[in-house]
């Protein structure tokens, strides 16, 4: 954790946090968070969050989020850059 980042990690979770990111990770979750991102990850979720993104990911979800809010469960994938980039998601669309 760098800067003012806050991290809670349990079990085999792997977390890298920068800026004012807040991360809670359980199980084998892998999280990288930048800026003011807030991430909660469980199971084998893989999350990369930037800026003011708020992400909740469970099970085998894979999320790359720039701003906004997303909650994914089960076998899901999400790429949402909230800009001129392609938005892709399966199982559960971003909120």
């Amino acid at each position: 954790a760098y800067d003012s980042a806050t991290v809670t990690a349990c079990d085999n979770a792997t977390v890298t946090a920068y800026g004012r990111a807040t991360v809670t990770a359980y199980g084998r979750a892998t999280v990288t968070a930048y800026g003011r991102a807030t991430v909660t990850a469980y199971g084998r979720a893989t999350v990369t969050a930037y800026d003011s993104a708020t992400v909740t990911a469970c099970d085998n979800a894979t999320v790359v989020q720039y701003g906004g809010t997303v909650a994914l469960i089960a076998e899901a994938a999400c790429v949402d850059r909230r800009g001129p980039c392609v938005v892709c998601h399966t199982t559960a669309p971003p909120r």
Side-chain angles (χ1 to χ4, degrees):
Y2 302 89
D3 305 319
S4 297
T6 302
V7 174
T8 302
C10 302
D11 303 321
N12 291 315
T14 301
V15 176
T16 304
Y18 302 88
R20 295 183 182 193
T22 301
V23 176
T24 305
Y26 301 92
R28 295 178 184 254
T30 301
V31 177
T32 304
Y34 303 88
R36 294 177 186 233
T38 301
V39 176
T40 304
Y42 303 90
R44 294 178 184 258
T46 302
V47 177
T48 303
Y50 299 88
D51 303 326
S52 297
T54 301
V55 177
T56 302
C58 304
D59 301 327
N60 292 316
T62 300
V63 179
V64 178
Q65 183 74 12
Y66 293 76
T69 300
V70 68
L72 296 173
I73 59 172
E75 301 278 341
C78 177
V79 176
D80 183 351
R81 296 184 184 220
R82 300 284 171 169
C85 301
V86 175
V87 176
C88 303
H89 52 80
T90 60
T91 303
R95 289 191 246 159

